Amino acid sequence: MIYASGLLMCVGPFSGLVGWVYVPGSVYRSPEIYRKLKDDILSDNSTALELSSVWKYKRRPKMPKPCPNSTVSSRLGLTSESSHLIPTGYLIVEANGGLNQQRSAICNAVAVAGLLNAVLVIPQFEFHAIWKDSSTFGDIYDEDHFISSLEGYVKIVRDVPDEIMTRFNYNMSSIPTIRVQAWATVNYYNGEVYPLLKEHGVIRISPFANRLAMSVPPYIQLLRCIANYNALKFSSPISTLAEKLVDRMVEKSSETGGKYVSVHLRFEEDMVAFSCCLYEGGRAEKSEMDVIRQKSWKGKFKRRDRVIRPDLNRVNGKCPLTPLEVGMMLRGMGFDNNTSIYLASGRIYQPEKHLAPLQEMFSRLYTKESLATPEELAPFEGYSSRMAALDYTVSLLSEVFVTTQGGNFPHFLMGHRRFLFGGHAKTVIPDKPKLVLLLQNMDVRWEVFKKEMKLMLGESDRKGVMVPRVRKINRKTSIYTYPLPECECIFHLSSNFSATGNIQNLGALHPTSNLMSTARL
């Protein structure tokens, strides 16, 4: 009780008054642990995992029968009567955030357009001070494929027609702009947004991140599925280079049958700053992070009611894992030095210092920068979303995906992999609160650490095959992270959905397709 009371007192405005209280696992001591266990780690190849058998499991998730007959025929333009409905008006949205936050906004925009019987204008991307990416929709996605894939479900146009724009003197800011509440319900859109759309013939929703609830009727959920897994295909420049990177990664991992592990490492400078976590840089690191936070997020972290507790952030699993911690975890799980690893990441914070231990543990460590030539990467330099799209594709086709810090990227990727592989995520999700306790115990032996890591791997695999229960329209989990069983429906609605085995058509693949084998030939 005393410990719990102390912990509660440390969280919130009172912590500044009562002072600092030590919490087990709150101090970053991983480099010390690594130096102590280094010889054991580097010499231990006795428990190497065969990547082809890492994810064998006895049971497969039970899928409810997909596509209730009552959910689609009259609502998605699949009958001659409904296909002639006159659209209510034009819907303009501005997607903000990084690659996958924008992806969420696009899929939600398709769903909202279907809900309102609106014509969707190709979404615009907001330029953000953090991502600093001026890419348009067509720079990242194939516009023609997007429009044609949604034909018969939602009408998509590239621009608002002249007859509409003339009413607003061709000034986009003159078009009625609505600020929709976060996670807005279907009733909200029908009651608040639909009348305005009908009145003006065109509306603009900005910003448009997380502006539609997860709990929606099946026919709306289905539009999200079609948009995410069929309509959104990366543009030709991205998919062409991504295919080359996958081929090169397969070649590099020839000793393990062309199978490799991808790691989404969120240890970039901005992520370290945003997390408010401290590592081993002392006052100099704290001062540097304070400057970055102020530059990128202005006064957000200096509000009087904001209490920054790096120690509690670490204990609660909110600190990004360092490359060293990721390496120790994977070696403990049984991945040996012959394992090929693809690192999906932006520029690592102090890379010379932090990447060295990971390279010691895994000599076959690759990134898009090491796999591609400077000439091949040149068109993508300075465009964070296009770079992220390359990482996304190479990670999607890996045998194992390791996530280290949550966020939209791993959630979308886990969902996409579940979709492709019939429900199983094939993902390592670290138990970070447990990991930080082990990485602060200076008495821990390598054998003990390995045992705990194997238990963590088994628990991650168990969770990977879990499928949320969906009752009617009461889904609370993200359709993008857990796409089944609803998204199974898209293969029963249209003959346009086919398994091609082509990396450039990943959005149109059935989960039982032979993607993995064909991609590695």
Side-chain angles (χ1 to χ4, degrees):
M1 290 180 63
I2 295 174
Y3 172 78
S5 299
L7 183 62
L8 289 173
M9 288 293 285
C10 286
V11 182
F14 296 106
S15 61
L17 300 176
V18 300
W20 183 84
V21 176
Y22 171 76
V23 181
S26 61
V27 180
Y28 178 69
R29 301 186 69 180
S30 301
E32 298 173 61
I33 299 289
Y34 177 63
R35 286 192 289 269
K36 178 176 179 288
L37 301 177
K38 180 178 176 179
D39 291 341
D40 292 332
I41 294 173
L42 299 184
S43 63
D44 186 2
N45 288 316
S46 61
T47 57
L49 291 171
E50 291 290 337
L51 287 183
S52 59
S53 63
V54 169
W55 298 105
K56 283 185 178 178
Y57 48 96
K58 295 181 180 179
R59 66 180 181 86
R60 299 193 70 85
K62 293 181 180 180
M63 298 295 176
K65 292 182 180 180
C67 294
N69 293 330
S70 62
T71 62
V72 296
S73 60
S74 63
R75 303 306 300 264
L76 293 180
L78 300 180
T79 64
S80 57
E81 292 81 6
S82 60
S83 62
H84 295 295
L85 290 176
I86 299 175
T88 310
Y90 291 85
L91 175 64
I92 303 169
V93 301
E94 289 189 5
N96 58 331
L99 176 72
N100 289 286
Q101 189 171 344
Q102 290 173 344
R103 190 182 187 104
S104 171
I106 294 166
C107 297
N108 288 343
V110 169
V112 169
L115 173 66
L116 301 177
N117 187 32
V119 176
L120 177 64
V121 181
I122 288 285
Q124 302 171 350
F125 292 164
E126 179 185 71
F127 183 84
H128 195 279
I130 302 298
W131 288 277
K132 298 178 181 177
D133 191 325
S134 58
S135 297
T136 64
F137 186 99
D139 293 323
I140 299 175
Y141 299 107
D142 184 329
E143 282 192 6
D144 291 335
H145 180 80
F146 183 70
I147 294 171
S148 62
S149 296
L150 288 164
E151 186 175 350
Y153 302 104
V154 172
K155 184 176 180 181
I156 312 291
V157 296
R158 288 182 170 83
D159 300 291
V160 180
D162 283 347
E163 57 266 28
I164 298 292
M165 291 304 297
T166 53
R167 289 167 38 200
F168 300 97
N169 296 320
Y170 291 90
N171 186 350
M172 188 67 72
S173 61
S174 298
I175 293 175
T177 301
I178 304 172
R179 292 191 66 87
V180 174
Q181 62 187 31
W183 308 109
T185 64
V186 167
N187 289 338
Y188 178 90
Y189 276 101
N190 285 333
E192 303 293 331
V193 180
Y194 180 80
L196 291 173
L197 176 63
K198 194 172 181 181
E199 177 186 352
H200 298 286
V202 58
I203 58 171
R204 181 167 162 253
I205 303 179
S206 178
F208 195 76
N210 303 324
R211 290 304 187 266
L212 179 63
M214 280 300 156
S215 179
V216 296
Y219 75 94
I220 296 298
Q221 207 71 290
L222 196 57
L223 288 174
R224 280 170 159 160
C225 295
I226 295 170
N228 195 36
Y229 298 112
N230 186 65
L232 285 178
K233 184 179 75 172
F234 289 131
S235 63
S236 181
I238 291 174
S239 57
T240 299
L241 180 55
E243 186 168 9
K244 292 179 181 179
L245 297 183
V246 170
D247 288 342
R248 291 167 193 173
M249 200 65 215
V250 169
E251 181 182 354
K252 298 287 187 183
S253 55
S254 58
E255 288 192 13
T256 53
K259 297 177 174 62
Y260 59 91
V261 176
S262 61
V263 177
H264 182 226
L265 188 60
R266 289 307 318 273
F267 201 68
E268 301 97 343
E269 185 179 83
D270 64 310
M271 190 64 219
V272 174
F274 186 81
S275 69
C276 296
C277 297
L278 290 178
Y279 295 90
E280 55 178 341
R283 291 185 178 180
E285 179 185 300
K286 181 182 181 303
S287 298
E288 181 183 6
M289 293 297 108
D290 285 341
V291 171
I292 294 170
R293 282 190 286 268
Q294 181 61 25
K295 179 181 178 181
S296 299
W297 294 281
K298 306 306 178 185
K300 179 177 181 178
F301 292 90
K302 289 189 174 183
R303 296 198 303 259
R304 290 186 177 182
D305 61 340
R306 183 98 184 205
V307 178
I308 297 176
R309 289 298 305 266
D311 52 339
L312 295 185
N313 287 349
R314 182 167 175 80
V315 170
N316 293 328
K318 295 181 180 180
C319 291
L321 292 182
T322 65
L324 181 151
E325 292 171 327
V326 171
M328 290 185 67
M329 177 186 73
L330 293 180
R331 287 302 291 263
M333 288 177 173
F335 296 96
D336 69 5
N337 193 40
N338 288 323
T339 305
S340 296
I341 292 183
Y342 179 81
L343 211 57
S345 174
R347 178 174 170 77
I348 300 299
Y349 174 57
Q350 296 183 351
E352 297 81 7
K353 171 184 177 181
H354 290 293
L355 279 179
L358 181 59
Q359 290 172 321
E360 281 183 329
M361 288 180 272
F362 293 97
S363 58
R364 301 184 179 191
L365 184 69
Y366 307 99
T367 63
K368 52 187 173 293
E369 288 82 6
S370 66
L371 293 172
T373 66
E375 291 75 23
E376 288 173 325
L377 272 184
F380 301 86
E381 294 288 351
Y383 299 99
S384 60
S385 291
R386 300 184 210 183
M387 288 287 206
L390 296 174
D391 281 340
Y392 185 96
T393 306
V394 183
S395 298
L396 181 65
L397 297 179
S398 63
E399 189 69 17
V400 179
F401 172 63
V402 182
T403 176
T404 63
Q405 184 57 21
N408 288 297
F409 184 101
H411 288 157
F412 265 84
L413 197 57
M414 285 189 285
H416 206 153
R417 290 166 66 86
R418 284 187 171 103
F419 176 79
L420 290 178
F421 304 116
H424 191 218
K426 298 191 177 186
T427 299
V428 174
I429 306 175
D431 182 343
K432 291 167 72 174
K434 177 180 181 180
L435 189 59
V436 298
L437 287 172
L438 286 168
L439 290 173
Q440 195 179 315
N441 180 7
M442 292 302 296
D443 296 323
V444 69
R445 292 179 291 111
W446 178 236
E447 293 76 13
V448 174
F449 188 85
K450 280 201 305 181
K451 180 180 178 181
E452 294 296 333
M453 291 302 99
K454 288 178 180 178
L455 290 173
M456 190 181 295
L457 177 62
E459 179 64 9
S460 181
D461 186 34
R462 184 187 71 82
K463 291 179 178 179
V465 298
M466 293 173 65
V467 177
R469 294 181 179 179
V470 181
R471 296 181 178 179
K472 296 183 180 179
I473 63 172
N474 294 324
R475 168 185 271 276
K476 294 182 180 179
T477 54
S478 169
I479 191 73
Y480 308 120
T481 307
Y482 296 97
L484 302 176
E486 293 98 321
C487 291
E488 182 80 2
C489 292
I490 68 176
F491 305 106
H492 301 268
L493 292 176
S494 172
S495 60
N496 293 328
F497 303 110
S498 62
T500 64
N502 188 329
I503 196 171
Q504 296 197 13
N505 292 294
L506 283 174
L509 290 169
H510 191 282
T512 57
S513 74
N514 60 346
L515 169 66
M516 296 301 289
S517 59
T518 56
R520 289 171 175 164
L521 290 178

Coordinates of all heavy atoms in Angstrom, one line a residue, residues 13-14 19 85-86 157 167-168 188 263 271 326 340 372 374 390 393 483:
P13 N 0.2 16.7 -10.8 CA 0.7 18.0 -10.3 C 1.4 17.9 -9.0 O 2.3 18.7 -8.6 CB -0.5 18.9 -10.2 CG -1.5 18.2 -11.2 CD -1.2 16.8 -11.1
F14 N 1.0 16.9 -8.1 CA 1.5 16.8 -6.8 C 3.0 16.4 -6.7 O 3.7 16.5 -5.7 CB 0.7 15.9 -5.9 CG -0.7 16.4 -5.7 CD1 -1.8 15.8 -6.4 CD2 -1.0 17.5 -4.9 CE1 -3.0 16.2 -6.2 CE2 -2.3 17.9 -4.7 CZ -3.3 17.3 -5.4
G19 N 8.3 15.6 -4.3 CA 9.7 15.2 -4.6 C 9.7 13.9 -5.4 O 8.7 13.2 -5.6
L85 N -28.5 6.9 -57.6 CA -28.8 7.9 -56.6 C -27.9 9.2 -56.9 O -26.8 9.1 -57.2 CB -28.4 7.4 -55.2 CG -29.3 6.3 -54.6 CD1 -28.8 5.9 -53.3 CD2 -30.7 6.8 -54.5
I86 N -28.6 10.3 -56.8 CA -27.9 11.6 -57.1 C -27.0 11.9 -55.9 O -27.6 12.0 -54.7 CB -28.9 12.7 -57.4 CG1 -29.7 12.4 -58.7 CG2 -28.1 14.0 -57.6 CD1 -30.8 13.4 -59.0
V157 N -13.3 12.1 -57.3 CA -12.9 13.0 -58.4 C -11.6 13.7 -57.9 O -11.3 13.8 -56.7 CB -13.9 14.1 -58.7 CG1 -15.2 13.5 -59.2 CG2 -14.3 14.9 -57.4
R167 N -18.9 29.5 -57.6 CA -19.7 30.1 -56.6 C -18.9 30.6 -55.4 O -19.4 31.5 -54.6 CB -20.7 29.0 -56.0 CG -21.8 28.6 -57.0 CD -22.5 27.4 -56.6 NE -22.7 27.3 -55.2 CZ -22.9 26.2 -54.5 NH1 -23.0 25.0 -55.2 NH2 -23.1 26.2 -53.2
F168 N -17.7 30.1 -55.3 CA -16.8 30.5 -54.2 C -15.6 31.3 -54.7 O -14.5 31.4 -54.0 CB -16.4 29.3 -53.4 CG -17.5 28.5 -52.8 CD1 -18.0 27.4 -53.5 CD2 -18.1 28.9 -51.6 CE1 -19.1 26.7 -52.9 CE2 -19.2 28.2 -51.1 CZ -19.7 27.1 -51.7
Y188 N -24.0 11.7 -35.5 CA -23.5 13.0 -35.6 C -23.4 13.5 -37.1 O -23.8 14.6 -37.4 CB -22.1 13.1 -35.0 CG -21.4 14.4 -35.0 CD1 -21.6 15.4 -34.0 CD2 -20.6 14.8 -36.1 CE1 -21.0 16.7 -34.1 CE2 -20.0 16.0 -36.2 CZ -20.2 17.0 -35.2 OH -19.6 18.2 -35.3
V263 N 12.4 -4.6 -38.1 CA 12.3 -4.0 -36.8 C 11.9 -2.5 -37.0 O 12.7 -1.8 -37.7 CB 13.6 -4.0 -36.0 CG1 13.5 -3.3 -34.7 CG2 14.0 -5.5 -35.7
M271 N 11.3 11.6 -31.8 CA 10.6 10.7 -30.9 C 11.1 10.6 -29.5 O 10.4 10.6 -28.5 CB 10.6 9.3 -31.5 CG 9.7 8.3 -30.9 SD 8.0 8.7 -31.1 CE 7.3 8.3 -29.5
V326 N 16.8 -3.4 -28.2 CA 16.2 -4.3 -29.2 C 17.1 -5.5 -29.5 O 16.6 -6.6 -29.5 CB 15.9 -3.5 -30.4 CG1 15.4 -4.5 -31.6 CG2 14.8 -2.5 -30.2
S340 N 19.2 -12.0 -40.6 CA 19.2 -10.8 -41.3 C 18.1 -9.9 -40.8 O 16.9 -10.3 -40.7 CB 19.0 -11.0 -42.8 OG 20.1 -11.8 -43.3
A372 N 19.8 0.4 -51.0 CA 19.6 1.2 -52.3 C 20.8 2.0 -52.6 O 21.6 2.4 -51.7 CB 18.4 2.1 -52.1
P374 N 22.6 5.6 -53.8 CA 22.2 7.0 -53.6 C 21.4 7.6 -54.7 O 20.5 8.4 -54.5 CB 23.6 7.7 -53.6 CG 24.6 6.7 -53.1 CD 24.0 5.4 -53.7
L390 N 8.5 3.0 -48.2 CA 9.5 2.0 -48.5 C 9.6 1.0 -47.3 O 9.6 -0.2 -47.5 CB 10.8 2.6 -48.9 CG 10.9 3.5 -50.1 CD1 12.2 4.2 -50.3 CD2 10.6 2.7 -51.4
T393 N 6.6 -1.4 -46.9 CA 6.5 -2.5 -47.8 C 7.5 -3.6 -47.5 O 7.2 -4.8 -47.5 CB 6.7 -2.0 -49.3 OG1 5.8 -1.0 -49.6 CG2 6.5 -3.1 -50.2
P483 N -8.3 -6.3 -38.7 CA -9.2 -6.2 -39.9 C -10.2 -7.4 -40.0 O -11.2 -7.2 -40.8 CB -8.3 -6.2 -41.1 CG -7.1 -7.0 -40.6 CD -7.0 -6.6 -39.2

